[in-house]
Structure formats: C-alpha cells, structure tokens
Amino acid sequence: MTEIKIAMLENCDDLMPVKAHDDDAAFDLRSRVDMVLPVRKSTLVPAGFAIELPPDYEAQIRPRSGLALKHDLMLTNSPGTIDAGYRGEVGVIMYNGGTSEFPIRRGDRIAQMVINQLPRVTLAKTDTLSESGRGSGGFGSTGKA
C-alpha cells in the first residue's frame, strides 16, 4: 500500500478526505468555507488540505454525480489534476449550471479525489503511425454524436 501525505490546514482536521466505503475508488472532498455558488459562474471552493504525492502519481478531482444530477453542479476542469510537485491547498473549481444560486456550507461534500500511479513514458517522434480500425475518424465517427 502506498502512503500519501496529507497536511490539513489549521482548524480543518474535520475535513480530512475519506472514503465513504472501503471499496470506493475515491476520497470525498469537503468545503472549507461557507459560500454561495452564483448561477452560470465558476467558483474556487477551498478543500482545507494540501497533499504530497510521490513522483509518478497524480490526484484527479472529479465531480459528485448526485450534485450534477440533482443541482446541475459540475467541475469546470473535470477532471482536475493535482501534480506530484504541487504543495498548495487543494481547491475545487465548481460551476453552477442551475437556475438559482447554490449554497455550500463548510463540511459539505463537493467533489471526489482519485489517486493514480502514472506509467513512465517517453514520446517518440515518427512520420507514420500503424493502422487501426478507427483510423483518423474524429468526434462522432463511431456512432451518434
């Protein structure tokens, strides 16, 4: 098991990311502040912690399906990526696609975080690529757009 270091901001121990169930893929992230998400705007919601990821790891910040379905809340840059070298407070860029302001309270679950190990790769420049079934077909080329 890989240990990931988490530094909680002052007075934020109650916001420690946790998994609701042992077999969940993601850790729940909570808001550090009370705030209101304005309609049709992106807003940075602070999560109350910083993280130290080992080299070749990333953390992805993903939306919560219930907030998306029930309240039209989404993450503007979904998934957001936290790189191994970042040591600042984790924030969630939330977008309110609904028709009214949405209140966020300290401790509300706002997003989820998945931690992934990344393969070491190099990019090799070439003039040709191998053939595939899809070829160069773009958006919508495999069915209904």
Side-chain angles (χ1 to χ4, degrees):
M1 182 175 295
T2 302
E3 183 177 270
I4 305 292
K5 294 180 182 179
I6 297 281
M8 302 308 297
L9 274 62
E10 188 174 343
N11 299 317
C12 290
D13 285 344
D14 59 320
L15 305 175
M16 178 75 173
V18 295
K19 291 183 177 185
H21 305 94
D22 287 339
D23 59 351
D24 284 352
F27 293 86
D28 289 330
L29 303 187
R30 299 177 182 275
S31 174
R32 178 171 58 84
V33 297
D34 293 337
M35 63 190 315
V36 174
L37 300 180
V39 176
R40 307 267 192 259
K41 298 279 184 191
S42 291
T43 305
L44 183 64
V45 182
F49 72 94
I51 190 168
E52 181 179 333
L53 295 163
D56 300 324
Y57 277 76
E58 66 156 347
Q60 288 186 4
I61 308 303
R62 299 178 182 181
R64 293 184 50 81
S65 56
L67 290 176
L69 178 64
K70 297 174 186 174
H71 304 288
D72 290 322
L73 299 179
M74 54 200 94
L75 305 188
T76 306
N77 65 328
S78 180
T81 297
I82 300 171
D83 294 310
Y86 179 67
R87 296 293 185 271
E89 181 177 9
V90 171
V92 177
I93 304 171
M94 298 188 75
Y95 180 80
N96 180 358
T99 57
S100 59
E101 294 180 334
F102 187 84
I104 298 281
R105 299 288 170 242
R106 178 188 167 87
D108 284 353
R109 292 179 297 165
I110 55 171
Q112 49 189 342
M113 177 176 69
V114 174
I115 297 173
N116 295 307
Q117 186 172 12
L118 303 169
R120 285 212 161 237
V121 300
T122 59
L123 299 179
K125 186 176 178 192
T126 183
D127 292 329
T128 60
L129 300 174
S130 63
E131 294 293 324
S132 73
R134 182 174 181 179
S136 61
F139 296 102
S141 67
T142 59
K144 259 187 176 173

